[in-house]
Amino acid sequence: MKLQAMLKVLFTTVSVSSLMLAGCTPTQQASSPQQGEASPATVEVQQSMPTTQPAERTPDVVYVPTPPEVVDRMLSVAKVGKNDVLYDLGSGDGRIPITAVQKYGVKKAVGIDIDPQRIKEANANAQKAGVTNKVQFRQQDLFKSDFSEATVISLYLLPELNVKLRPQLLKLKPGTRIVSHAFDMGEWKPNKVEQVDGRTVYFWTVPEKIPANLQQSTPSS
């Protein structure tokens, strides 16, 4: 009898333990897939980030960011506002288009850069600033890009690149404003030149009639 009683107790203990384990196992299995899946919020962010492609060619310039105080002066000299569409040619990390929307309220800002790393940084910065609804970045060769809708163009390139771009810029709608950090446009004399902490900002307005000395095509470099 004692042996039967002991066996009964042992059987009961094993059965209870099995039931407890059985109750735990489905919970663990149900939670495991969630650990390997991205949350809906993560998926949404990943899908909203534009993708980049390999660079079409080597960038024409080494990226050097424009200081914030120069960005502000460029945008204030160009008198950008809520009715403007700004194109930044050679947009780097996106600071000029982002500032144009964030601080000056332009209705649209587009950055063009051939370097996929810069485009990636610019998109991340726009997302962080919360301006992706009004700012976009395009991985393109600026010499092949269409920026005809621009009312304002911003630049920080090199003198020879500014001159090479000049024929495209002079085809823009009369009154289009162009602002450049550090470098001029050769024979195209600026309407205004300002100094900011030892740096130069140049400003032009596309004229109704192109001067004769600027009508000839500029040879490609």
Side-chain angles (χ1 to χ4, degrees):
M1 294 295 291
K2 289 184 178 180
L3 180 59
Q4 291 178 349
M6 291 176 64
L7 288 173
K8 186 176 181 180
V9 171
L10 179 60
F11 176 77
T12 303
T13 304
V14 171
S15 298
V16 171
S17 300
S18 299
L19 288 171
M20 292 176 65
L21 289 171
C24 292
T25 303
T27 304
Q28 293 172 344
Q29 291 175 342
S31 62
S32 295
Q34 294 178 358
Q35 296 173 0
E37 297 177 357
S39 68
T42 302
V43 172
E44 183 179 349
V45 169
Q46 291 173 344
Q47 291 178 344
S48 66
M49 288 293 286
T51 57
T52 56
Q53 302 172 348
E56 181 178 338
R57 60 180 175 80
T58 303
D60 293 300
V61 296
V62 176
Y63 172 58
V64 179
T66 299
E69 60 273 16
V70 179
V71 172
D72 276 328
R73 184 61 65 87
M74 291 172 72
L75 296 174
S76 62
V77 166
K79 296 182 179 178
V80 299
K82 64 181 181 179
N83 295 320
D84 281 315
V85 174
L86 177 139
Y87 273 65
D88 186 28
L89 308 185
S91 51
D93 66 0
R95 60 184 60 195
I96 292 178
I98 290 170
T99 303
V101 167
Q102 209 172 31
K103 187 172 180 178
Y104 293 84
V106 301
K107 64 181 179 182
K108 179 180 178 182
V110 179
I112 296 175
D113 204 295
I114 201 168
D115 189 336
Q117 181 59 34
R118 301 285 83 81
I119 294 295
K120 183 178 179 181
E121 290 175 7
N123 280 319
N125 289 336
Q127 186 123 22
K128 185 177 179 180
V131 294
T132 53
N133 60 324
K134 290 187 176 182
V135 176
Q136 59 179 265
F137 295 97
R138 302 175 184 172
Q139 185 185 330
Q140 296 176 348
D141 182 338
L142 58 87
F143 294 103
K144 300 177 182 179
S145 299
D146 177 10
F147 39 84
S148 57
E149 70 167 331
T151 60
V152 179
I153 298 283
S154 56
L155 308 162
Y156 183 22
L157 300 172
L158 291 173
E160 60 269 27
L161 298 179
N162 281 5
V163 172
K164 186 178 177 180
L165 269 173
R166 196 172 67 193
Q168 288 173 260
L169 297 173
L170 285 167
K171 290 178 182 177
L172 295 173
K173 184 179 178 181
T176 301
R177 288 151 282 154
I178 301 166
V179 62
S180 172
H181 173 201
F183 304 114
D184 63 13
M185 293 273 184
E187 293 179 317
W188 187 9
K189 300 306 178 186
N191 298 87
K192 188 179 293 186
V193 180
E194 294 196 5
Q195 299 295 320
V196 188
D197 294 339
R199 296 170 182 263
T200 307
V201 172
Y202 296 90
F203 173 74
W204 300 261
T205 301
V206 175
E208 289 279 350
K209 184 177 181 180
I210 309 302
N213 66 321
L214 300 179
Q215 289 179 3
Q216 58 187 10
S217 60
T218 304
S220 300
S221 58

